[in-house]
Amino acid sequence: MEKASSLIVLFIFFIILAYGANEVMANICQESLGGCDQCNERCKAKRGPKSEGDCQSWIYNLCMCNYQCGPPPPPPEPKVCYGGAGLCSQKCSNNCCNQICANKYSRGNGFCEKIGSINLCKCQYPC
């Protein structure tokens, strides 16, 4: 039983060691950023806080940005702004409100929303 416990501990140790080695051996990519002025700052601004700029003065003062390879982060969701386009009525319901908002705002769309006894035409559009 003692031998089995030792083997289990040894097995877990090797799993932890392999996991740590995999983290250390993560793919590192390089990108040239031109001259060495503010190399590290430009690298972090372009590739994130975990990247590191390295001025290689032996290659004509070339800034090399080292960063962990992987898919680029998704673009941020566009902000949505809201505006009003008057009142909705039996003559001007959702379709009419949507058309008004599409004409009023670039890539805008509209909908009727009842607030208390008032039926408003609300527009939403990327800002």
Side-chain angles (χ1 to χ4, degrees):
M1 183 68 177
E2 186 176 310
K3 188 174 182 177
S5 296
S6 297
L7 286 175
I8 290 172
V9 169
L10 189 61
F11 180 73
I12 291 172
F13 172 77
F14 281 118
I15 289 175
I16 292 171
L17 184 65
Y19 178 77
N22 190 31
E23 292 250 332
V24 171
M25 296 172 63
N27 290 338
I28 301 296
C29 292
Q30 281 192 327
E31 177 180 12
S32 171
L33 298 180
C36 282
D37 291 340
Q38 298 179 329
C39 181
N40 196 42
E41 292 83 3
R42 289 187 296 137
C43 180
K44 289 186 183 308
K46 185 164 188 179
R47 293 292 179 177
K50 293 185 179 180
S51 62
E52 196 169 300
D54 179 27
C55 178
Q56 298 183 352
S57 58
W58 56 276
I59 309 179
Y60 305 107
N61 287 330
L62 186 63
C63 176
M64 295 302 289
C65 183
N66 301 303
Y67 60 96
Q68 188 170 351
C69 299
E77 290 289 321
K79 290 185 181 181
V80 176
C81 288
Y82 293 90
L87 298 174
C88 289
S89 65
Q90 287 182 347
K91 286 176 106 177
C92 185
S93 60
N94 277 321
N95 289 338
C96 172
C97 176
N98 188 44
Q99 187 62 47
I100 291 170
C101 292
N103 292 336
K104 188 172 183 178
Y105 299 103
S106 174
R107 294 186 290 146
N109 59 53
F111 55 93
C112 294
E113 183 174 59
K114 195 164 186 126
I115 299 174
S117 62
I118 300 170
N119 200 10
L120 295 174
C121 175
K122 287 181 72 174
C123 304
Q124 63 182 40
Y125 56 94
C127 45

